[in-house]
Amino acid sequence: MKKDLVLGGLVLLSLWLISGIQAVKRFQDVRFHGKQSNDQGHHSQIRGWSPDRNTWDEQLYPAWKAGDARWENCWRGGKVEALLTSDSPALIGSNITFAVTLRFPRCQKENDDGDIVYDRKCRNDSFSYQDQYVYNWTKWVDDCNEGNCTFINKFPDGRPFPPHPDWRRRNFVYIFQTLDQFYSLTGRSSAVLSINTTNITAGTQMMEVSVYRRDHRRHYPVAKASAMYIVTEQIPLYVNISQKNDRNSSDKIFIKDSPITFDVKLHDPSHYLAKAAVSFNWTFGDGSGSFVSNNPLSSHTYTLLGNFSLNLTVKAAIPGPCKPVTPTTFIPTTYTSSTTTAPVTSNSTGNSTDLPFTETAFVTTEGSNVTTAPTTETTTHIQTTPAAGCFIDRYGYYKANIRIVDGIVEVNIVEMTNVSPSEAQKSSIDFVVACQGSIPTDACTIISDSTCTIPQNEVCDEVVTTDECLVTLRRAFTGPGTYCVNITLGDDASLALASTLVSVSEVGTPVPVKEILIYLGLVAVIIVAVGVLLSK
């Protein structure tokens, strides 16, 4: 009987211990979306972060899952949304920055003191502002003594809030979670967090953030958000391809015999590559070979028609700490000749050096000094630290397929003629436009004021196909005056522009403004000369 009681007591004690263990909540238990599949396995420690196996104080920080009805009443006057963004993708070794911004319900905003108030300028006829404040944390300051407040100042794992000059205005608690680790901080209606990616595995990861509003005895959840971010071993980059007279650069169709500009943009918001030696190696796919430069801006002219594949390899040599060098001793070699053989060295560190030479030490042991026997040498090669600095090499790649076609290369206005009043009701001019390259399919004219800043009229016409690139366009003007005329000829792939200033009169031939200015200049010279003679 006594034995049964003892066994029963042990069973009850075991059940109590198990239930107690299960009752302990940890950071990994309060994820909004649960454990992610890509989080399985061991992850390296992120500097300054803590493992999510740490206990979570649910009495101080209630944890609600998605769909819990308590989310509906966690904030006065509506719901708060948290917008989580990052400057992903990030190259391994660089920093990635996350930003959280809180969006309050309509007609609510944060004031300079960090309190949430109603916006008096916001019209909301269905609600009367009986109180200025939604949440007034400033009044709690009277209950504080040099930062030691009556309400609890600690994170869910028990760590105290860090001291901060504007701690009175930091009324939100942000808890970030990723890769089985967490980081907590206090802030206002927005928060920014940067982490280094050296110990983060390359790939797509998930970042979650939980936002709590501070209260006297406990802190209440108001919003949660999550976002994917990417850590990569390849340099993130973007290439902007442009060409003069190209109609649409996004269609990857460009014009023959006209330079194409390639502008490489490296995505490096944390300036990790600021001190790196970066080179750009282009192959344009037309048999012209490779082009290597340290300038992200380059150009190339295709002289053949057809489809081409261009490739870019970006290399960045990033200064970094050298790995420890392990001395490597080779098997002694005996030489029966006095001739010295160049040493063979080995570098087992994986470091990249800008000057790949190494120092070698020779240890020599001589045999008996007998004239009838050759002198023997035993040589040991010892690897020492590279003399030059060490680098981490990272690469980025870009590939694109482009098409080269004939296009309109140049447009010139070769003749302008007034149209007689019998042929046109308004003052009109015939423009004869010549072009080089392909035959245009459409023509557009924009007529503006004399400063070319205020458009007055725009006319577009289809161009009748001919064997010669010579187009006549009749354009009407509202009345006498000086006008800026822009004429654009285009086809499916290209667009070329010609501009001129014209002076339109009631009758007579249109005179370019350049000639008008010359005439006015001559008149001014004559007036000055007459004035000098009269003064004498």
Side-chain angles (χ1 to χ4, degrees):
M1 181 69 178
K2 186 181 293 185
K3 185 177 180 181
D4 293 339
L5 290 175
V6 172
L7 291 174
L10 291 174
V11 171
L12 291 175
L13 179 62
S14 300
L15 292 174
W16 179 79
L17 290 173
I18 292 173
S19 62
I21 293 173
Q22 292 176 346
V24 174
K25 184 154 291 188
R26 305 182 186 278
F27 278 77
Q28 61 188 4
D29 301 324
V30 299
R31 288 185 176 182
F32 196 63
H33 297 287
K35 189 174 182 64
Q36 302 298 317
S37 59
N38 60 343
D39 283 351
Q40 297 178 357
H42 174 73
H43 298 286
S44 299
Q45 179 71 30
I46 304 175
R47 185 177 180 181
W49 287 54
S50 304
D52 64 0
R53 298 184 302 275
N54 289 11
T55 57
W56 174 286
D57 188 347
E58 191 172 15
Q59 294 298 321
L60 185 59
Y61 288 84
W64 304 335
K65 294 293 185 181
D68 194 308
R70 288 173 290 184
W71 284 106
E72 300 295 328
N73 301 313
C74 65
W75 187 268
R76 297 172 188 167
K79 291 184 179 180
V80 176
E81 295 181 359
L83 177 63
L84 176 62
T85 59
S86 74
D87 55 10
S88 166
L91 180 64
I92 285 183
S94 68
N95 290 345
I96 183 171
T97 299
F98 297 89
V100 187
T101 303
L102 299 182
R103 293 179 177 175
F104 300 111
R106 185 174 180 269
C107 299
Q108 296 183 11
K109 66 177 183 178
E110 183 184 44
N111 65 8
D112 294 337
D113 294 327
D115 299 319
I116 309 302
V117 298
Y118 292 106
D119 187 358
R120 298 288 181 176
K121 298 179 181 179
C122 176
R123 295 181 59 84
N124 191 346
D125 298 334
S126 62
F127 184 81
S128 60
Y129 300 114
Q130 300 177 356
D131 186 5
Q132 176 185 355
Y133 294 94
V134 182
Y135 290 97
N136 185 0
W137 289 293
T138 304
K139 66 180 181 180
W140 296 357
V141 177
D142 297 336
D143 301 329
C144 299
N145 181 17
E146 297 181 356
N148 298 320
C149 301
T150 57
F151 48 87
I152 301 174
N153 291 317
K154 63 180 182 180
F155 292 114
D157 60 345
R159 291 185 302 108
F161 291 164
H164 201 278
D166 65 340
W167 62 270
R168 292 175 177 84
R169 298 178 178 88
R170 292 173 169 258
N171 297 306
F172 293 96
V173 180
Y174 296 86
I175 302 165
F176 295 85
Q177 291 181 269
T178 188
L179 301 175
D180 301 333
Q181 300 167 64
F182 72 91
Y183 187 88
S184 305
L185 57 84
T186 59
R188 300 187 59 175
S189 59
S190 62
V192 176
L193 175 68
S194 293
I195 60 176
N196 186 267
T197 59
T198 299
N199 293 332
I200 297 181
T201 305
T204 302
Q205 311 294 351
M206 168 79 77
M207 175 68 76
E208 292 187 18
V209 62
S210 303
V211 186
Y212 284 73
R213 63 171 174 86
R214 298 178 63 181
D215 208 302
H216 290 82
R217 295 179 177 83
R218 63 169 56 184
H219 309 310
Y220 291 93
V222 295
K224 282 182 177 266
S226 62
M228 308 298 292
Y229 64 97
I230 298 174
V231 178
T232 175
E233 294 179 338
Q234 296 186 6
I235 302 172
L237 59 89
Y238 167 79
V239 180
N240 181 33
I241 307 177
S242 61
Q243 184 185 45
K244 181 182 178 181
N245 298 339
D246 180 44
R247 189 157 197 163
N248 181 13
S249 60
S250 62
D251 62 4
K252 297 294 190 298
I253 300 176
F254 299 95
I255 307 168
K256 183 174 74 75
D257 296 329
S258 179
I260 303 175
T261 300
F262 301 90
D263 189 6
V264 184
K265 304 291 186 181
L266 304 183
H267 181 72
D268 184 32
S270 67
H271 306 290
Y272 178 60
L273 302 176
K275 296 183 179 180
V278 183
S279 62
F280 304 86
N281 188 341
W282 282 98
T283 55
F284 298 101
D286 58 350
S288 60
S290 62
F291 174 74
V292 182
S293 171
N294 59 359
N295 190 339
L297 191 66
S298 60
S299 64
H300 184 72
T301 301
Y302 286 87
T303 59
L304 301 174
L305 302 176
N307 298 318
F308 301 92
S309 297
L310 54 90
N311 292 272
L312 168 66
T313 300
V314 179
K315 178 183 178 181
I318 308 165
C322 294
K323 300 178 182 178
V325 181
T326 304
T328 304
T329 303
F330 292 86
I331 300 175
T333 304
T334 301
Y335 300 100
T336 58
S337 172
S338 60
T339 304
T340 303
T341 304
V344 179
T345 61
S346 174
N347 185 346
S348 59
T349 65
N351 292 321
S352 171
T353 60
D354 54 357
L355 294 176
F357 88 94
T358 57
E359 298 176 351
T360 306
F362 295 91
V363 180
T364 303
T365 302
E366 293 186 358
S368 58
N369 189 9
V370 180
T371 56
T372 57
T375 302
T376 61
E377 291 183 348
T378 302
T379 305
T380 302
H381 298 161
I382 301 177
Q383 176 73 40
T384 61
T385 304
C390 295
F391 298 87
I392 301 171
D393 291 336
R394 296 295 185 192
Y395 296 87
Y397 304 95
Y398 173 81
K399 295 182 179 180
N401 295 319
I402 63 175
R403 182 183 175 190
I404 304 299
V405 299
D406 284 321
I408 303 172
V409 180
E410 186 178 354
V411 172
N412 294 294
I413 300 173
V414 296
E415 185 180 348
M416 296 182 293
T417 306
N418 257 6
V419 180
S420 62
S422 60
E423 297 182 30
Q425 296 179 353
K426 294 183 179 180
S427 299
S428 300
I429 298 176
D430 283 341
F431 295 88
V432 179
V433 184
C435 63
Q436 297 180 9
S438 61
I439 304 300
T441 58
D442 55 79
C444 288
T445 305
I446 299 178
I447 300 175
S448 308
D449 66 334
S450 59
T451 64
C452 298
T453 56
I454 304 176
Q456 297 180 355
N457 187 25
E458 180 177 0
V459 179
C460 292
D461 300 313
E462 292 185 359
V463 175
V464 179
T465 304
T466 61
D467 295 335
E468 184 180 6
C469 187
L470 197 66
V471 180
T472 300
L473 303 173
R474 176 169 295 182
R475 295 296 180 251
F477 296 85
T478 56
T482 301
Y483 297 90
C484 175
V485 179
N486 293 323
I487 298 178
T488 303
L489 301 183
D491 59 10
D492 293 339
S494 59
L495 207 63
L497 171 70
S499 300
T500 187
L501 287 172
V502 296
S503 178
V504 177
S505 57
E506 292 292 347
V507 292
T509 305
V511 182
V513 168
K514 180 179 179 182
E515 298 179 15
I516 295 174
L517 294 177
I518 292 174
Y519 298 154
L520 292 176
L522 292 175
V523 172
V525 170
I526 294 172
I527 293 174
V528 171
V530 172
V532 171
L533 292 174
L534 291 176
S535 64
K536 289 182 178 181

